[in-house]
Amino acid sequence: TATYLSNGPLTLLFEIVDSEFMVFGKKVDEKYPDDLPICTEILKCIFYGHVSALYCLACENPVCVDCMNGEHAEHPTDSLENIVDQHLAALQDRVDSAKNRLPQIREAVQCLRDILQQLNSQRSSIEEDIHSSFSELHKTLDTRKSVLLMELEVTYGLKQKVLQAQLDTLLQEEAAINYNCSLTGEALDGGNKAVILQTHKDVGERLSDLASQGLPLQPEENDQLDLMMEIEGLRKSIHNLGTIVTTNAVASQTEVSGDGLEQCVVGQLATVIISTRDKSGGLCKTGNAIISAEVCTPGGSVADGEIVDLKNGTYEFQYTVKKEGNFSLALRLYDQHIKGSPFQLKVTTNAASTGSSDGGARKRSAKSPGSRSRQKGVRRGGSLFSTPKKKVNPIEDDLIFRIGTKGRNKGEFTNLQGVAACSEGKILIADSNNQCVQIFSNTGEFHSRFGVRGRSPGQLQRPTGVAVHPNGDIIIADYDNKWVSIFSSEGKYKAKLGSGRLMGPKGVSVDQNGHVIVVDNKACTVFIFQPSGKLVTKFGSRGNGDRQFAGPHFAAVNNNNEIIITDFHNHSVKVFNADGEFLLKFGSNGEGNGQFNAPTGVAVDVNGNIIVADWGNSRIQVFDGSGSFLSYINTAADPLYGPQGLALTSDGHVVVADSGNHCFKVYRYLQ
């Protein structure tokens, strides 16, 4: 007789052969053999059909009545049904506990995917920046090479001209002397008196002049042409050019301490120390982590403060609250809340009421925040706090002022792209690699900024274009998210459009009908949407024809509601009517007047003149409405370096994103 017992992955064959109990064809005498996962007594009960109604607590096995009369007689038992119910309940609790972890795991997985995606995006962006920077360096070196060669030719030409003229004069005099002397010698040798008299008359005076004439016998120039090249210093600079900045800091391990963590006094500076740590809890030793801080009231207002990077893995957040009450302090590292954040603050009007929990008054350090040594241009973690510095033009030029340096704070930029201006006297900058839009007044004063990095609606991944709708809404082209986001004038998210249609939106504009014009750089197509997201029309494809584009960048609309597009790789500007019908184009590849080396930003003045940022030639050109070249904007005192978007401010100036110099500049413009 043979019997199979199957329970999940366990399948056993046991049988009786010649009165011997066999398992897998093997005689088994032991009760708990090492190579079997179950007691042989239980197998025998199953084989003989004995019903197990009890559970042996000592052996932790179900047993039948026969077993209880045998070797289990002295063992404590319980009802098998009770034990099974207990085990079922325990297993169910464990299943529930395990399932409760799934949302956390899914959230963590999504977070990691977002970070990996952002990491990949940052790598691609930095790779693009490296290629672009070194391409510009090559171009700069080639330009300098051409200038030096030209300077060499001019200098050589001037010297050679002087020396050659002197040489020609002397050779002419030598030839004249030889000729006249030869002529006279022939007359003298002939002995003919008449010939001698005639020669004396014809040549004698000439010979006297040749003999007495002053000649440039001393060199009037020298042969010096030397080249001075500081190669070694340049080579060292190039050897150390650029660095990849990162840290291993993680928010879950990073710690916060300091007097300003829980309580502070109205009007007095409070300080919080942020110590960054890696995944193992080890202290990070370098700075440059991206940290943001917000001190908010329940109503949402923000206190004044600043993050200072101490460059040793620690950071100070210094802030001042101007009224008493309960506040929330949110500290984030790479957009993740630092351990314990957000912290609850109690702000009081005097130091006595800010005592510690043990009754002792907390004593603040007497060190003034102004005594801290700060290096110029020190990069701080991304924060809502800091003040941009306005650089005023030092010489006569069209430049009025410039705002910005490379960084992540307000008034600092990393790859700024699109620019917009509105009638309320504001300038908007799409700060692409900082995933935000920064807003300034026409005079360059910082107003606000908004934007949270991410790939969900309402978040920004790579904002490249920005425009202002007549109703005040702010429209942002998000290249990496492949849609256009619409925010209120206060930076509150409202809607998105173009999702599923756009491949890589670069520039945006608004026509006179309130339609949103989107330049899809990757698809080489211009889309026109209603603000609701409904597609009105689209036109364009990849190519070099009149209605085709090769990497189009930005758009502008004139008073006739005509759409003007910069065609980057076709080195031209193209004009279409509101239905997408081609009207005209102008420009070709080159450095001359009216030529382009990859045009980018574009704007139109009240007279219909078209202002174009010439990226590769680092200049701004002005054309009339038919595309005829008019003039340049003078940028000589503080040269542009890869200009991107541009716009006309409400007070009639030109504002341009000087991407390579990490700033925006405002120029005078006479319309």
Side-chain angles (χ1 to χ4, degrees):
T1 303
T3 301
Y4 287 91
L5 171 65
S6 181
N7 183 15
L10 174 65
T11 300
L12 296 175
L13 168 66
F14 45 94
E15 55 188 342
I16 302 296
V17 179
D18 296 331
S19 299
E20 299 290 348
F21 189 71
M22 310 286 288
V23 179
F24 294 141
K26 177 181 177 182
K27 179 180 177 182
V28 178
D29 294 324
E30 307 164 43
K31 182 178 179 182
Y32 297 102
D34 293 337
D35 53 354
L36 285 180
I38 191 169
C39 172
T40 54
E41 295 297 326
I42 304 302
L43 292 177
K44 290 179 181 179
C45 288
I46 294 170
F47 181 82
Y48 290 114
H50 297 172
V51 178
S52 299
L54 300 173
Y55 185 84
C56 178
L57 299 176
C59 301
E60 296 184 347
N61 275 317
V63 293
C64 63
V65 176
D66 292 345
C67 293
M68 288 305 302
N69 293 330
E71 59 181 296
H72 296 281
E74 303 298 326
H75 294 177
T77 61
D78 196 353
S79 166
L80 180 61
E81 185 175 352
N82 289 341
I83 297 298
V84 170
D85 289 342
Q86 293 174 18
H87 285 189
L88 280 173
L91 284 173
Q92 188 60 51
D93 288 343
R94 292 173 185 176
V95 168
D96 292 342
S97 297
K99 285 184 177 180
N100 287 338
R101 294 299 304 277
L102 290 177
Q104 300 173 357
I105 293 172
R106 292 186 185 115
E107 183 178 353
V109 166
Q110 185 59 47
C111 178
L112 288 174
R113 283 175 175 161
D114 290 343
I115 292 173
L116 282 170
Q117 195 168 34
Q118 178 62 21
L119 181 65
N120 183 61
S121 176
Q122 287 293 95
R123 182 192 67 83
S124 299
S125 177
I126 291 173
E127 185 178 34
E128 182 179 328
D129 288 346
I130 291 172
H131 285 301
S132 174
S133 297
F134 278 86
S135 176
E136 288 299 319
L137 283 175
H138 281 300
K139 182 178 177 181
T140 302
L141 287 172
D142 287 340
T143 300
R144 184 56 185 163
K145 173 183 172 183
S146 298
V147 169
L148 284 174
L149 290 173
M150 185 181 298
E151 186 179 333
L152 173 63
E153 286 303 309
V154 170
T155 305
Y156 164 78
L158 292 173
K159 285 178 169 286
Q160 188 267 347
K161 185 176 181 180
V162 171
L163 292 170
Q164 189 64 49
Q166 183 181 4
L167 178 61
D168 291 344
T169 299
L170 292 175
L171 289 175
Q172 288 174 5
E173 291 299 318
E174 181 185 22
I177 290 172
N178 287 333
Y179 173 76
N180 286 282
C181 286
S182 176
L183 191 64
T184 302
E186 289 177 0
L188 293 175
D189 291 342
N192 188 312
K193 294 182 176 67
V195 172
I196 292 173
L197 290 173
Q198 187 63 39
T199 301
H200 182 272
K201 181 179 179 180
D202 295 338
V203 182
E205 186 175 354
R206 196 182 310 161
L207 285 171
S208 297
D209 291 341
L210 289 171
S212 61
Q213 183 177 349
L215 296 176
L217 299 177
Q218 298 301 318
E220 295 179 349
E221 252 297 356
N222 58 61
D223 61 354
Q224 183 183 13
L225 275 177
D226 293 325
L227 175 64
M228 294 184 63
M229 293 276 283
E230 298 296 334
I231 296 292
E232 192 57 35
L234 179 61
R235 185 179 290 113
K236 288 180 180 178
S237 296
I238 293 175
H239 181 75
N240 297 312
L241 180 62
T243 183
I244 304 301
V245 177
T246 189
T247 75
N248 297 116
V250 294
S252 61
Q253 295 291 338
T254 294
E255 297 176 340
V256 184
S257 60
D259 294 342
L261 188 59
E262 295 177 355
Q263 295 177 322
C264 67
V265 178
V266 172
Q268 293 188 12
L269 190 72
T271 302
V272 170
I273 305 298
I274 303 165
S275 302
T276 55
R277 295 179 179 271
D278 60 24
K279 66 177 182 179
S280 302
L283 282 170
C284 297
K285 304 295 185 182
T286 59
N288 298 301
I290 302 174
I291 296 176
S292 63
E294 291 180 285
V295 179
C296 298
T297 66
S301 62
V302 179
D304 295 327
E306 180 181 31
I307 289 179
V308 180
D309 186 349
L310 302 181
K311 297 300 179 182
N312 60 359
T314 59
Y315 305 77
E316 284 187 359
F317 174 51
Q318 302 169 347
Y319 67 95
T320 305
V321 183
K322 297 180 180 179
K323 63 180 181 180
E324 64 178 333
N326 294 319
F327 288 73
S328 172
L329 169 59
L331 295 171
R332 293 181 177 88
L333 174 67
Y334 301 112
D335 290 339
Q336 302 290 319
H337 275 289
I338 291 172
K339 185 164 58 178
S341 174
F343 303 94
Q344 300 306 311
L345 306 177
K346 182 179 181 181
V347 182
T348 57
T349 54
N350 57 74
S353 58
T354 62
S356 62
S357 58
D358 60 2
R362 294 189 178 186
K363 183 177 180 181
R364 281 193 49 79
S365 168
K367 181 172 63 176
S368 165
S371 66
R372 181 174 305 284
S373 173
R374 290 186 175 92
Q375 290 184 336
K376 182 179 179 183
V378 166
R379 180 185 174 197
R380 299 194 177 106
S383 170
L384 296 177
F385 311 107
S386 71
T387 302
K389 295 178 175 56
K390 180 165 68 176
K391 182 176 178 181
V392 179
N393 183 24
I395 67 173
E396 284 299 320
D397 196 283
D398 289 343
L399 178 65
I400 301 174
F401 62 83
R402 61 178 281 175
I403 294 289
T405 56
K406 187 172 185 178
R408 296 186 179 274
N409 296 321
K410 67 181 183 181
E412 298 176 344
F413 307 98
T414 307
N415 190 24
L416 64 170
Q417 294 277 314
V419 177
C422 65
S423 57
E424 286 77 22
K426 294 177 183 176
I427 297 170
L428 294 84
I429 307 292
D431 191 1
S432 184
N433 287 13
N434 285 333
Q435 292 88 24
C436 69
V437 169
Q438 301 200 46
I439 304 176
F440 300 81
S441 70
N442 279 353
T443 56
E445 302 301 322
F446 177 82
H447 182 272
S448 63
R449 77 174 185 178
F450 65 90
V452 175
R453 182 179 67 191
R455 296 186 176 274
S456 299
Q459 297 179 322
L460 301 175
Q461 190 66 20
R462 190 179 171 190
T464 51
V466 60
V468 180
H469 196 274
N471 65 11
D473 286 346
I474 299 170
I475 302 165
I476 303 171
D478 194 330
Y479 192 92
D480 282 357
N481 277 333
K482 302 179 183 179
W483 62 56
V484 171
S485 295
I486 300 177
F487 293 81
S488 70
S489 57
E490 292 80 26
K492 305 263 187 215
Y493 175 71
K494 296 178 72 173
K496 66 184 174 79
L497 55 85
S499 180
R501 293 181 183 271
L502 302 174
M503 295 176 62
K506 174 77 173 181
V508 286
S509 187
V510 180
D511 69 11
Q512 294 181 0
N513 299 319
H515 294 155
V516 179
I517 299 165
V518 183
V519 181
D520 194 327
N521 173 267
K522 191 173 288 188
C524 295
T525 302
V526 176
F527 292 83
I528 302 178
F529 295 94
Q530 293 180 358
S532 63
K534 181 180 179 181
L535 179 66
V536 177
T537 188
K538 66 176 182 177
F539 59 90
S541 60
R542 186 178 302 278
N544 55 14
D546 289 344
R547 297 187 77 253
Q548 294 181 310
F549 304 103
H553 268 49
F554 293 99
V557 179
N558 64 18
N559 290 333
N560 297 324
N561 208 30
E562 295 168 344
I563 303 167
I564 302 160
I565 307 292
T566 52
D567 195 354
F568 190 83
H569 292 296
N570 283 331
H571 310 289
S572 62
V573 175
K574 296 176 179 178
V575 183
F576 303 83
N577 68 14
D579 297 321
E581 295 177 358
F582 174 78
L583 299 178
L584 65 96
K585 72 175 179 179
F586 58 91
S588 60
N589 189 17
E591 299 178 357
N593 291 347
Q595 293 185 306
F596 301 110
N597 184 3
T600 48
V602 61
V604 184
D605 68 18
V606 294
N607 298 316
N609 296 322
I610 302 170
I611 309 159
V612 183
D614 189 356
W615 181 82
N617 290 324
S618 289
R619 62 184 178 181
I620 301 173
Q621 300 190 71
V622 183
F623 302 81
D624 67 16
S626 64
S628 297
F629 173 80
L630 295 178
S631 64
Y632 299 104
I633 288 179
N634 185 5
T635 63
D638 192 359
L640 297 170
Y641 185 50
Q644 286 282 345
L646 62 78
L648 275 170
T649 64
S650 58
D651 53 359
H653 299 315
V654 170
V655 55
V656 60
D658 191 358
S659 185
N661 288 318
H662 313 291
C663 66
F664 70 87
K665 296 175 179 175
V666 175
Y667 293 92
R668 294 182 186 88
Y669 177 68
L670 301 177
Q671 300 190 38

